[in-house]
Amino acid sequence: MERTWRWFGKKDRITLPMLKEIGVEGIVTALHDVPNGEIWTKEKINDLKSFIESYGLRWSVVESLPVSESIKYGGADRDQLIENYKVSLKNLSECGIHTICYNFMPVLDWARTDLMHRNPNGTYNLYFSQAQFAYFDICILKRKDAEKDWTADVLKEVDQLKQTMTPEKDHQLVENIIVKTQGFVSGNIKEGDKDPVQLFRNLLSLYEGVDKEKLRMNLKYFLNAIMPTCNQYDMFMCVHPDDPPFQILGLPRIVTCDEDINWFLHAVDDPHNGLTFCAGSLSAGAQNNVVELAKKYADRTRFVHLRSCHVYPNGDFTEASHLGGRADVIELARIFEKTNPKLPMRVDHGMTMLGDEDRGYNPGYSFLGRMFALGQVQGILATVDRELGLQYHQPGFFD
C-alpha cells in the first residue's frame, strides 16, 4: 500500500521534509482555511499541491472535503451546498486529485473523553469512557431525556462521578469532547469560542426529528446527486466509519457495522461510492469482526486507516498498539495488499510519547508516536510483500 500521512497544511509543526525522511510517499490533507460549504478553487488546490510536490511528495487523498451539516440533516440550502461540492470535486479532478475521504457523522466528528490516557509503558493514548461521556451528556450538556440512553450501570458510575467532578474537570471534559478534537477537523466548534457548550446544543437542535432512516435517506440523496460528477471526473468518494461506531447524544449513526456498510454501498451501487476502511473506528465496536469486514469489502475500499482499538467489557475503549488490539493489522495488510497494493494507507492515530505532548500537535496526531507506528507497519508490509512475491520498496534507499 502507498504509505501516506495526515498533514494539516503549511502551518503544521510536522514538516514535509520530516515526512519524506521517514518513508512517507503520499500526503493526506485538505484546504483547512476554506469554510465548510464554500467552493475549493483550482488556485487554492494547485497552490497546496505544488507546495507538496516541491518536496518530492504527492497529494494522494483529500481528508476531508467536509459535508456541511445542512446536507446531513436536510436543510433548505442543501441543494446549493451540494452544487458547491460538485464544483469542488470537478476542480480537484482537474488538478489531478481523485480520492475523497469524508464522513456523514452528525455534529460530532469523533469522540474521546481523555486525550492523554496513560499506558503502562509511560506513553499516552486516546480513550473513550462511557461513564465520563454520559456525565458530559447528562450533567454538562443537559440534553433532554439523556438518562434514557444509558444503562443502569453507567448511570451508577455517573452518580459516583458527580461526587468528584469539579468546574475545572468539567471544563477539561468539554475541551476534550467538543473543542480540541473538533476544531481542527469539522470547524463546527473552535478553540476560543465563548460558549462551546451552547454552540454545541444549537447544532444538536438542528437534528430534531432526524432518525437513522432519515439520515440514511439524506446520505443517499447526497450520493445520488454527486455520482454523475464523480463518474464524469473519476472521483472516488470513500466514507469514513462512525467514530465511535454506536449512537451517541441521541444522534443516529449510519456507518457502524456490516449491515450499515452493505446498505450504503448498495443504496448507490456505483464504483465511485466506496469505503474508507478505518480499522480503528470499526474495532472500537465490539459488534465488528474487523478482518471479516475487510475481506468482504476490500474491493470497494479506496483508502485504509491502519490502527487498532482495545474494547473493555464495560464498553470503554482505548487506542491500542498497531500490533495489538482487536483489528489484527497484520492480517488486514495481507488482505489489502492482495486486493490492491497501490491503495493509499495511513497509520492514523499514534501514541503520544517522548515529549510529543509538549510540541502542540493535534490530539492523536503526534509525530514520534505515528512514526513509531509507521515503522511497525512498514515492517508488516515488507513481510507481507515477501509472502506474496511482491517487490517492497522503501523510498530514499537503495534496493
Side-chain angles (χ1 to χ4, degrees), residues 144-176:
K144 183 181 178 182
D145 296 327
E147 293 88 348
K148 295 179 181 179
D149 288 345
W150 300 98
T151 66
D153 287 343
V154 170
L155 292 175
K156 184 177 179 180
E157 288 188 72
V158 170
D159 285 338
Q160 293 170 349
L161 274 174
K162 290 177 182 177
Q163 309 305 314
T164 60
M165 294 297 285
T166 64
E168 291 75 21
K169 289 180 179 179
D170 283 2
H171 174 76
Q172 187 62 59
L173 200 54
V174 169
E175 289 280 299
N176 290 350

Side-chain angles (χ1 to χ4, degrees), residues 171-185:
H171 174 76
Q172 187 62 59
L173 200 54
V174 169
E175 289 280 299
N176 290 350
I177 294 174
I178 63 174
V179 179
K180 290 183 178 178
T181 55
Q182 302 306 306
F184 70 97
V185 177

Side-chain angles (χ1 to χ4, degrees), residues 85 89 100 102 226-227 230 235-239 272-274:
Y85 204 98
L89 289 174
I100 311 294
Y102 73 104
I226 66 170
M227 275 302 115
C230 292
M235 298 299 292
F236 291 94
M237 299 294 295
C238 41
V239 73
H272 291 93
N273 173 30

Side-chain angles (χ1 to χ4, degrees), residues 117-390:
H117 184 76
R118 193 171 182 86
N119 297 317
N121 65 356
T123 62
Y124 301 88
N125 268 339
L126 304 174
Y127 190 94
F128 183 92
S129 162
Q130 296 275 344
Q132 287 192 332
F133 199 89
Y135 174 88
F136 165 79
D137 190 13
I138 297 166
C139 303
I140 298 177
L141 193 60
K142 295 180 170 61
R143 184 172 62 88
K144 183 181 178 182
D145 296 327
E147 293 88 348
K148 295 179 181 179
D149 288 345
W150 300 98
T151 66
D153 287 343
V154 170
L155 292 175
K156 184 177 179 180
E157 288 188 72
V158 170
D159 285 338
Q160 293 170 349
L161 274 174
K162 290 177 182 177
Q163 309 305 314
T164 60
M165 294 297 285
T166 64
E168 291 75 21
K169 289 180 179 179
D170 283 2
H171 174 76
Q172 187 62 59
L173 200 54
V174 169
E175 289 280 299
N176 290 350
I177 294 174
I178 63 174
V179 179
K180 290 183 178 178
T181 55
Q182 302 306 306
F184 70 97
V185 177
S186 67
N188 285 335
I189 307 289
K190 301 179 178 67
E191 292 197 50
D193 285 337
K194 290 184 178 180
D195 191 349
V197 173
Q198 187 55 51
L199 288 172
F200 195 72
R201 290 191 189 106
N202 295 342
L203 287 167
L204 287 178
S205 70
L206 298 172
Y207 285 86
E208 289 181 9
V210 179
D211 59 10
K212 181 171 184 175
E213 185 60 26
K214 177 65 173 176
L215 191 62
R216 276 184 165 183
M217 290 303 102
N218 289 346
L219 173 58
K220 185 176 180 179
Y221 184 94
F222 168 68
L223 289 172
N224 276 324
I226 66 170
M227 275 302 115
T229 300
C230 292
N231 282 303
Q232 181 178 357
Y233 293 99
D234 199 28
M235 298 299 292
F236 291 94
M237 299 294 295
C238 41
V239 73
H240 189 289
D242 298 332
D243 187 3
F246 45 79
Q247 181 174 304
I248 53 175
L249 302 173
L251 297 168
R253 310 286 260 184
I254 59 172
V255 192
T256 67
C257 61
D258 183 16
E259 193 268 335
D260 286 345
I261 297 170
N262 187 66
W263 180 86
F264 88 79
L265 289 177
H266 286 92
V268 181
D269 198 0
D270 188 293
H272 291 93
N273 173 30
L275 174 67
T276 293
F277 195 94
C278 180
S281 296
L282 292 169
S283 65
Q287 74 273 18
N288 292 323
N289 183 320
V290 183
V291 169
E292 291 304 312
L293 290 175
K295 290 176 181 177
K296 185 172 182 178
Y297 298 111
D299 64 337
R300 293 291 291 273
T301 294
R302 308 300 179 214
F303 183 31
V304 177
H305 290 181
L306 284 185
R307 64 176 174 87
S308 185
C309 284
H310 173 75
V311 179
Y312 296 92
N314 67 353
D316 291 2
F317 67 87
T318 187
E319 314 249 344
S321 161
H322 283 66
L323 299 180
R326 301 186 66 249
D328 195 349
V329 168
I330 295 172
E331 190 58 32
L332 295 180
R334 289 193 179 102
I335 293 165
F336 291 119
E337 284 289 87
K338 286 178 184 177
T339 306
N340 182 2
K342 295 183 180 179
L343 266 179
M345 173 280 302
R346 69 178 180 89
V347 295
D348 206 5
H349 303 158
M351 296 179 292
T352 298
M353 59 192 300
L354 301 173
D356 269 349
E357 63 272 18
D358 299 322
R359 296 187 175 98
Y361 300 138
N362 290 324
Y365 291 96
S366 61
F367 177 64
L368 295 177
R370 281 191 289 166
M371 182 177 74
F372 180 78
L374 182 60
Q376 291 177 313
V377 170
Q378 286 180 157
I380 292 170
L381 292 176
T383 303
V384 168
D385 285 351
R386 181 170 291 185
E387 290 176 357
L388 299 176
L390 301 173

Side-chain angles (χ1 to χ4, degrees), residues 29-32 34-35 37-45 59 62-66 84 87-89 91-92 100:
T29 193
L31 298 183
H32 294 286
V34 178
E38 292 191 8
I39 291 171
W40 287 18
T41 66
K42 284 192 280 189
E43 290 75 17
K44 279 186 170 288
I45 296 166
W59 188 350
V62 171
E63 186 176 352
S64 65
L65 180 57
N84 290 353
V87 175
S88 296
L89 289 174
N91 290 342
L92 283 162
I100 311 294

